């Protein structure tokens, strides 16, 4: 009878986790702001989980031997690592790690609910939220192709050779199809106001200064800094926060967050 009860509980857990994960995946594919929600909320969920693990660890120290204490400490370190990873490098790998850790966390909390019902159910709920957000992040679609207003498909071009000067391939507006040089050691600023920018995009409702691009000659990469709040989408489909920078390789396409139209591609 005990084995049957454990089997039933396991099947119930798998069914619940599957439904919750499927809901997160659907949300990730359908919600336009899913990338921002997952990138911001998942680290917060793991920090809450870390706090609850710390509280639970104190209770375990009074009841169990060193094996359980080491397990709790290991989970705390792993949870903290994934929280930092998801906060600073959100992406498929971080979300996959988050899904694994949150699933293990749910199992651990639920299996200990007999000893500490309130603490463990709260911890399980936090891990369930992290599982939902991880599945949401994993389901966010990539954008391997971009389309112009006329419907023409744009595929990322192969990376260029590193040299003393980089360039941007413009994908929309007056400069569409043209290449704009980005000399090494200098920042090329793009936006709507010539007082703040070198290249005027002339986008209706666009910010005075949208972003700045630097070519890192020694690394053969580009440093793109967004100067407007969440107005620029990087190559992973993530809207960049204001005054944040991202280092990308040649061939990365950036979009206007307002209408998800392609702006430029690093050369």
């Amino acid at each position: 009878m005990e084995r049957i009860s454990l089997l039933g509980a396991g099947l119930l857990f798998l069914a619940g986790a599957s439904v919750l994960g499927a809901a997160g995946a659907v949300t990730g594919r359908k919600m336009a702001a899913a990338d921002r929600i997952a990138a911001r909320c998942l680290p917060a969920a793991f920090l809450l989980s870390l706090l609850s693990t710390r509280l639970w660890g104190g209770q375990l120290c009074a009841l169990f031997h060193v094996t359980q204490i080491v397990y709790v400490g290991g989970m705390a370190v792993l949870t903290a690592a994934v929280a930092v990873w998801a906060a600073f490098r959100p992406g498929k790998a971080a979300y996959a790690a988050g899904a694994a850790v949150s699933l293990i966390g749910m199992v651990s909390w639920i299996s200990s609910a007999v000893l500490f019902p309130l603490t463990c159910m709260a911890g399980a709920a936090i891990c369930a939220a992290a599982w939902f957000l991880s599945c949401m992040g994993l389901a966010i679609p990539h954008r391997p192709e971009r389309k112009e207003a006329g419907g023409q498909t744009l595929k990322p071009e192969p990376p260029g050779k590193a040299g003393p000067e980089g360039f941007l391939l413009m994908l929309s507006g007056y400069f569409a199809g043209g290449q704009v040089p980005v000399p090494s050691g200098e920042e090329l600023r793009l936006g709507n106001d010539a007082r703040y920018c070198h290249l005027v995009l002339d986008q209706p409702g666009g910010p005075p200064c949208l972003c700045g691009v630097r070519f890192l000659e020694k690394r053969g990469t580009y440093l793109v800094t967004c100067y407007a709040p969440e107005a620029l989408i990087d190559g992973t489909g993530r809207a960049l926060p204001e005054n944040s920078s991202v280092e990308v390789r040649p061939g990365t396409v950036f979009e206007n967050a307002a209408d998800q139209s392609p702006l430029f591609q690093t050369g």
Side-chain angles (χ1 to χ4, degrees):
M1 291 297 292
E2 184 177 354
R3 290 184 179 179
I4 296 176
S5 299
L6 289 175
L7 179 61
L11 292 175
L12 184 62
F13 171 80
L14 288 176
S18 299
V19 171
L20 190 62
V26 171
T27 304
R29 295 197 66 85
K30 299 296 184 182
M31 183 179 291
D35 54 342
R36 281 170 281 176
I37 294 174
R40 293 175 179 178
C41 295
L42 185 59
F46 275 120
L47 289 177
L48 285 175
S49 177
L50 185 63
L51 177 61
S52 57
T53 300
R54 174 67 184 85
L55 296 175
W56 182 44
Q59 295 173 316
L60 279 180
C61 289
L63 294 178
F64 297 114
H65 53 74
V66 68
T67 303
Q68 281 77 13
I69 298 173
V70 169
Y71 171 75
V72 172
M75 282 298 297
V77 172
L78 190 59
T79 301
V82 175
V84 173
W85 188 3
F88 292 97
R89 290 289 182 182
K92 299 297 183 182
Y95 295 137
V101 171
S102 57
L103 195 61
I104 295 172
M106 277 195 292
V107 173
S108 300
W109 286 117
I110 293 174
S111 62
S112 303
V114 175
L115 298 173
F116 316 111
L118 293 179
T119 302
C120 292
M121 293 313 296
I126 295 171
C127 288
W131 165 254
F132 177 88
L133 292 166
S134 299
C135 292
M136 178 192 296
L138 286 171
I140 295 172
H142 283 294
R143 295 184 179 92
E145 298 181 351
R146 305 295 191 271
K147 291 187 177 180
E148 291 180 330
Q152 181 182 0
T153 299
L154 295 170
K155 296 183 179 180
E157 296 185 357
K161 295 182 179 180
E165 187 176 85
F167 69 89
L168 299 182
L169 175 63
M170 305 307 297
L171 302 176
S172 65
Y174 179 78
F175 300 98
Q179 293 185 2
V180 181
V182 185
S184 178
E186 300 181 16
E187 183 181 48
L188 175 69
R189 293 196 174 189
L190 296 77
N192 268 21
D193 196 327
R195 293 176 298 175
Y196 307 106
C197 301
H198 307 101
L199 188 65
V200 178
L201 300 176
D202 194 22
Q203 293 181 324
C209 186
L210 172 63
C211 65
V213 182
R214 292 180 182 271
F215 178 61
L216 308 179
E217 179 184 353
K218 293 182 178 180
R219 299 172 63 88
T221 58
Y222 294 81
L223 185 69
V224 180
T225 303
C226 182
Y227 292 117
E230 298 183 349
L232 190 67
I233 296 178
D234 67 8
T236 65
R238 179 173 63 100
L240 298 178
E242 186 176 6
N243 295 322
S244 66
S245 300
V246 59
E247 184 178 354
V248 299
R249 296 178 179 179
T252 303
V253 176
F254 285 81
E255 298 177 345
N256 180 4
D259 56 7
Q260 296 187 347
S261 61
L263 288 177
F264 61 85
Q265 176 180 308
T266 54

